[in-house]
Amino acid sequence: MMVPELLLCLSLGCAAAPKPTCLSAQFRRPGDYIIGGLFPFGTDPVNLTARSEPTLVVCERLFVDGLLWALGMKFAIDQINNSTLLLPGVKLGYDMYDTCFEPVVALQPSLLFLTQNGTTGIGVLCNYTDYQPRVTAVIGPHKSDLCLATAKLFSFFLIPQVSYGASSEKLSNTEVYPSFYRTVPSDKNLVEAVVLLLNKFGWNWIATIGSDDEYGRGAQGLFLSTAGNHSICIAFEGLIPTDLTDPKAQNQLEDTIRLINNTKVKIIVLFAFSQPAQALLEQSIRMGLSEKVWIGTEAWILSDITASIPNIQSIGTVLGFIMKAGTVPGFQKYVADLFTSVQQDKFCQESRELNRLMNSDVLGALCEECDRISLPDVSSLLSRSQIQPVYVAVYSVAHALHRALGCTHHACPRASPVRSWQLLHFMNTLPFTVNGQSLRFDQSHSTNTGYKLIFWSWENGTLTYLPVGDYEESLYVNKSQIQFHTADQKEPTSECFSHCKPGQFKQIKGFHLCCYDCTDSSPCCFAGSSTCTPCPEHQWSPLRSTRCYDRSERYLFWGEPLTIALLTLMSITISLTCLTAALFLKSLQTPLVQASGGKLSLFALFALTLLCLSCCLYVGKPSNTLCMIQQIVYALCLNGCFSTFFIKSLEITLVTEFPRCAPTFLRWVTGRRAWLLVVLCLLAECSFCVCYFHLGPDSLQSDYKSLPREVLLVCKTQSWFAFALMHGYNSCVALVCFLCTFMVQTLGKKYNIARGITFAILIYFIIWIFFVAIFATLNTVLRSVTQIGTILATTLGLLGTYYIPKCYIILFKPDLNTVDYFQYSIKEKPDEDSQ
């Protein structure tokens, strides 16, 4: 019973197995102009690294997307041939070959395309202007590293090559690759879109991984440079090995996942094709990597290989950019009809006959695996596969050929054949229309149609590619449609730093230069990108400032309250001095005024008045001249007063201490000769002022340190020796006056003239001790206030101790204003001595 059952099962199995088709015979057709095609029909080349002989490389597994791209090229050419609008009377042929995603595989058909038309050899010539290669143009290949290998070959012959997937920025160099074009944006545009997405969500602490090929390395390199300019910190960057059969590849993947986990980033940007991306995602699932936000690209995000990974939903949230490409009308029906036709013997027989016209035995069978698939095997990818870039690539060549042949809607009149290099001019300069959309190649021979942002949406285990935004010149994201893997389905945060507010600068922390804290800028410096830059000395800045402001000038202004108070006190002091002078002038001949110095007292009061008026020199904006005059006027006016005290002190000393010599020397300190002594004192002070002027007078100085927001204009003492010399002379005169009078005693019922001078000089010394201590340490506007206060205090002290008491006697004790009361008794003292 077992044998019949087994035979029955085998017979049923054979009946159920699909009949091989002739789909592999559909990729060659003769024509007036042949367009070459390079498509990845297969993946996983067999023993590529173990090749010891230059034999044909075979791929193990069919790549359905590559098959559909090839059918897209076939559809476009059939559509053009069946229409009279573009190339009437001209038939396009095509010759498509497998690249197997390997440069070494792609080079074989590329060399075939370069062979002289009708032969299998490449002519070695000095001039290739009239050289006619087998193909007029080439569509493909898909990957950037393949294009970098083939584009140099085709650029030498100036054969137009239009890729439908290579995005490397290196290919934008039109000097190196003058005949290379692409119907996809370059990686530069993709990277800008990814960076804008990261900024949109505020993610600045991320990891980036790329496949170890031209696409992954190139896109990641662009991303790293662009991210740094947009304040995005790269916590980890790594590469996925392309040779996944290498034993070291597994260890490298494990190390990558482990390092990502250590950085604790929540965002991973992945630039890789489907196979490397699959290996990385599978490894992350096996190692239990926590859920992340994966930002992908078209190279893997639409692939069934990655979407079918077991437990792929556990990786987190997947967002990615795919090229904004429209649908190709009629393509799905065309593929369905073709799969029906390739099962018919008559159709297959015709296809093989056409293949024989193309020397089909040169490279052998094109895609043996294609003959064993059916429409249901490709239907899932048919609706979302990006066919338009291939479709547009074919039409770009057809439009260039249309213009080169001078075609109209009725015929293409040019009789001589068009060379490949003649198409470049029309492809570089003129736009072309595909399904009503106007397109053209930019300066880098690319087309930029923009991107769509899609989100992997899972519902009941079914994956849906949900559009959630788009990017052309700016990025739009519909955040409400994105359901993140977090508990509240809100976007996660991934920040190494906060965006600094105006007035803050970046203070680097840790080992990552882009990882920092935001620190408020301190006063007197403004916040740059990463430092607090000190303001120039003539400017200032407040806390958390982004710029510096010009300092305002600070000095003792006329209108401020302190100045008004000082000027009011000055006016009162001058009034008292003037009233005293008026009273002394009225009572000039009285004994009291005569005993006090007579007209010398009036001169002293005049000097004190000038001294008070000199307070005005310290108010207002100072200058070098004012600074110099201030000290000179003060010294001369004070010396004018002290010189009268000096004369009176000498007179008192002669009368009281040297009575026997007094009659001889008194005439030198009284009368007109007293004025001579005053002049001599003033001349001596003038000499010291001249020394002060030559040694270093006070000068205007701009002080930027004392005040935070203002520049202080002060008179700076240049030479303390000159300062001490000029004012020290007055102090010496005052000291002589003090020594001459402080021990003098007067007999009872006599007025002690000496006591007034003693107290006046004592007040002067006390004021000057405080003044010097304060003046030497002050560097603010109060320095001028101190000088004014010293002048007024000195004047009031002299008035109060020497002149006011005498005014009191004149006004309220006139009975004491007698000769006897104010006359020194010269004779009494000797009489007492004789007894």
Side-chain angles (χ1 to χ4, degrees), residues 185-197 200 321-326 437-440 442 447-453 468-477:
S186 73
D187 287 336
K188 182 179 180 181
N189 303 103
L190 174 63
V191 164
E192 289 175 354
V194 172
V195 168
L196 287 177
L197 178 65
K200 178 77 74 173
F321 288 97
I322 63 172
M323 194 180 70
K324 191 186 292 182
Q437 182 182 10
S438 180
L439 300 168
R440 72 180 307 153
D442 58 24
T447 59
N448 185 10
T449 55
Y451 294 94
K452 288 193 298 183
L453 177 65
V468 293
D470 62 77
Y471 167 78
E472 199 158 326
E473 294 181 354
S474 60
L475 177 65
Y476 164 75
V477 179

Side-chain angles (χ1 to χ4, degrees), residues 330-363:
F331 178 67
Q332 294 189 32
K333 183 179 183 303
Y334 175 83
V335 172
D337 293 342
L338 181 62
F339 270 92
T340 301
S341 299
V342 295
Q343 296 176 6
Q344 300 172 6
D345 293 336
K346 183 179 178 181
F347 180 83
C348 291
Q349 184 63 32
E350 292 175 355
S351 299
R352 293 186 181 99
E353 290 294 332
L354 291 173
N355 271 353
R356 277 193 285 270
L357 298 175
M358 295 287 294
N359 295 326
S360 59
D361 57 341
V362 174
L363 287 180

Side-chain angles (χ1 to χ4, degrees), residues 651-652 654-664 666 747 750 823-833:
E651 181 185 349
I652 293 171
L654 287 171
V655 171
T656 57
E657 301 298 330
F658 306 99
R660 291 184 178 88
C661 299
T664 304
L666 276 176
L747 298 177
K750 298 290 184 178
Q823 186 178 31
Y824 289 101
S825 178
I826 301 175
K827 297 178 181 180
E828 287 181 350
K829 201 166 186 179
D831 289 342
E832 292 176 3
D833 295 340

Side-chain angles (χ1 to χ4, degrees), residues 750-794:
K750 298 290 184 178
Y751 182 80
N752 193 339
I753 294 292
R755 196 62 63 236
I757 295 176
T758 301
F759 281 113
I761 298 303
L762 189 62
I763 288 294
Y764 164 75
F765 279 128
I766 293 172
I767 292 172
W768 257 79
I769 288 171
F770 283 101
F771 165 71
V772 171
I774 296 173
F775 184 76
T777 56
L778 277 180
N779 276 325
T780 66
V781 73
L782 295 176
R783 198 173 194 191
S784 297
V785 175
T786 303
Q787 290 177 294
I788 295 174
T790 301
I791 292 172
L792 296 179
T794 302

Side-chain angles (χ1 to χ4, degrees), residues 17 37 50 86 97 108 147 255 307 381 441 460 468 479 495 554 569 595 629 676 686 760 795 801:
L86 198 57
Y97 290 92
Q108 286 182 307
C147 287
D255 292 340
L381 289 175
F441 293 108
N460 300 323
V468 293
K479 293 184 179 181
E495 294 181 328
R554 184 70 177 99
L569 181 60
I629 292 175
L676 179 61
C686 287
T795 305
T801 55

Side-chain angles (χ1 to χ4, degrees), residues 166 206 313 342 398 466-467 481 523 527 547 570 600 617 633 709 726 733 761 785 788 792 812:
I206 67 164
Q313 299 95 321
V342 295
L466 182 65
Q481 289 187 295
R547 53 165 295 192
M570 182 194 74
L600 287 175
L617 298 175
V633 170
R709 303 184 180 185
M726 183 172 60
V733 173
I761 298 303
V785 175
I788 295 174
L792 296 179
F812 300 104

